[in-house]
Amino acid sequence: MSHGDAPRLNTFPCRSEDALLPRTGRRSPDEVKPNPGFSAVPSGLRLVSSRLRALLAFGLLAGGLARAAEPPVEIPFALEGHNIVIGVDFGQGRRLPFALDTGLAPGNLVTPEAAKRVGIEAQASLGVRDAGGARVDAHVAKVPSLRIAGLALSDQLFAVTRIPSQVLQRPGKGLLAGYIGAPLLADAVVCIDYGRRKLAYWHRADFPAAGLVSVPMQLKHGLPTVSVDIDGAPATLIVDSGADTAITVYASFAQRHDFIRRYRIRGTDQGNGGSGRSFQALLTEADSTKLGPGAAFENTPMQVIPQGMDPQWGIDGVLGFQVLQLLDPCLDEAGGRLLYRGE
């Protein structure tokens, strides 16, 4: 493992045009070890007064007794295409499959059919924006408690709304019940280990970041975003585990940087937003993209889609599964950083 300044160059394998098409149109680290504990007191401190030594010793001892570092809660998942599918337990044997979508804010989504099965009752209404930029009606419900593997969560907000079946389909299985979004990331560090098919949910105070590369991750309208260099053009992209592409950019960004002239269009595809509205995606490939040290990629699949966000938000597109699976990222929302192992 190297953490020098030289970037790792990863070349995406050559693909047929079909392999570049988005499946739905939606948008390891090695096993992390707990903190080793307190380091030894430096020798220079031996010269301080006996009273100060006693206070130091008491403080260290009290801190150690009060709270030891805890290991993460591990959440197994099934990787179905690009979807991270986890079981959500609503109690009394009511367990349904949801996909983790880090690009979904500020709550979670559930279909009306699934909500009825687990007894979720909506209490208010609001408008939400789907992947294609359209606003759709939803009803909001607060779920007092639920469990995801060994993780207990309380007072979770769910938007009860219709989601097109083509977005929820699971080959050979039933439909997804919905999507778990940003609330899972609150006040925690969540690591995605695609190889081991596990999420690691860390208390922030216990997360051992030593040896990991850290890049800034800024929340914009509740969405985690990072800066990615696309052939010299800096783009602010949502970190979106719910997107099956590598890089998606919105039309305003593509026009601003003259992408249609710079890149050869390799094909088009019809995507589907969460409302069922279809939109056209232009498929191309970036010569070079870079997130940070140890995360530089060549020949990166990229698609251009209609504007999915208000341009005033400062969001240019999406960083999706095809890149995230190469990073096994850790998202520290409260700390404003995305971490990964650079090589």
Side-chain angles (χ1 to χ4, degrees):
M1 179 173 63
S2 171
H3 302 291
D5 292 332
R8 176 181 65 185
L9 288 179
N10 299 277
T11 301
F12 281 86
C14 294
R15 309 167 190 267
S16 67
E17 286 192 358
D18 285 346
L20 289 175
L21 301 183
R23 282 183 282 271
T24 66
R26 274 188 48 83
R27 0 148 226 80
S28 74
D30 299 333
E31 187 164 352
V32 192
K33 297 180 175 57
N35 286 326
F38 292 108
S39 58
V41 178
S43 58
L45 291 181
R46 296 171 189 157
L47 301 178
V48 298
S49 69
S50 58
R51 181 180 179 185
L52 181 55
R53 284 204 308 271
L55 289 172
L56 278 171
F58 177 78
L60 291 175
L61 180 60
L65 289 175
R67 190 178 185 281
E70 297 180 4
V73 176
E74 289 199 334
I75 302 171
F77 67 82
L79 188 61
E80 299 180 3
H82 68 285
N83 278 324
I84 296 172
V85 180
I86 54 180
V88 178
D89 187 351
F90 293 88
Q92 299 179 342
R94 301 173 299 177
R95 189 171 184 269
L96 295 176
F98 284 75
L100 173 65
D101 188 346
T102 59
L104 176 63
N108 311 296
L109 292 182
V110 62
T111 66
E113 297 80 10
K116 185 176 181 179
R117 287 204 299 273
V118 297
I120 295 177
E121 296 183 1
Q123 294 133 5
S125 61
L126 82 166
V128 296
R129 189 179 296 273
D130 71 12
R135 293 191 67 82
V136 295
D137 291 329
H139 300 278
V140 179
K142 180 180 286 188
V143 176
S145 63
L146 58 81
R147 296 189 69 87
I148 305 174
L151 178 65
L153 299 173
S154 59
D155 296 330
Q156 292 294 295
L157 291 178
F158 280 80
V160 182
T161 185
R162 297 204 172 276
I163 306 172
S165 60
Q166 63 265 34
V167 175
L168 300 173
Q169 284 177 350
R170 307 167 65 202
K173 301 179 181 179
L175 299 179
L176 289 170
Y179 292 88
I180 297 296
L184 186 64
L185 308 178
D187 301 319
V189 180
V190 177
C191 299
I192 306 173
D193 189 332
Y194 284 97
R196 296 175 58 234
R197 307 289 197 268
K198 288 184 183 296
L199 303 175
Y201 183 96
W202 289 87
H203 292 294
R204 293 194 66 248
D206 298 326
F207 179 69
L212 299 180
V213 177
S214 173
V215 297
M217 186 177 74
Q218 183 181 2
L219 283 183
K220 288 182 175 288
H221 290 266
L223 298 166
T225 66
V226 292
S227 179
V228 175
D229 183 283
I230 304 175
D231 290 325
T236 298
L237 304 182
I238 301 167
V239 181
D240 190 353
S241 64
D244 67 344
T245 54
I247 300 286
T248 296
V249 295
Y250 297 134
S252 62
F253 179 84
Q255 291 167 0
R256 192 161 66 246
H257 295 281
D258 203 13
F259 274 19
I260 303 303
R261 183 186 63 82
R262 291 176 60 185
Y263 299 108
R264 180 170 68 89
I265 302 302
R266 298 174 178 268
T268 61
D269 188 51
Q270 290 297 119
N272 294 292
S275 65
R277 189 190 69 162
S278 63
F279 56 88
Q280 186 180 65
L282 302 179
L283 307 176
T284 184
E285 189 175 88
D287 297 326
S288 175
T289 56
K290 182 177 180 181
L291 171 65
F297 308 96
E298 294 180 339
N299 306 324
T300 311
M302 181 170 62
Q303 68 173 3
V304 180
I305 68 171
Q307 198 68 28
M309 303 285 172
D310 186 330
Q312 298 301 315
W313 287 14
I315 295 175
D316 302 313
V318 167
L319 183 70
F321 163 73
Q322 291 182 25
V323 170
L324 296 179
Q325 69 168 335
L326 302 176
L327 300 176
D328 283 343
C330 296
L331 288 80
D332 180 6
E333 182 181 280
R337 56 183 182 165
L338 179 79
L339 304 104
Y340 58 90
R341 287 195 183 278
E343 294 181 3

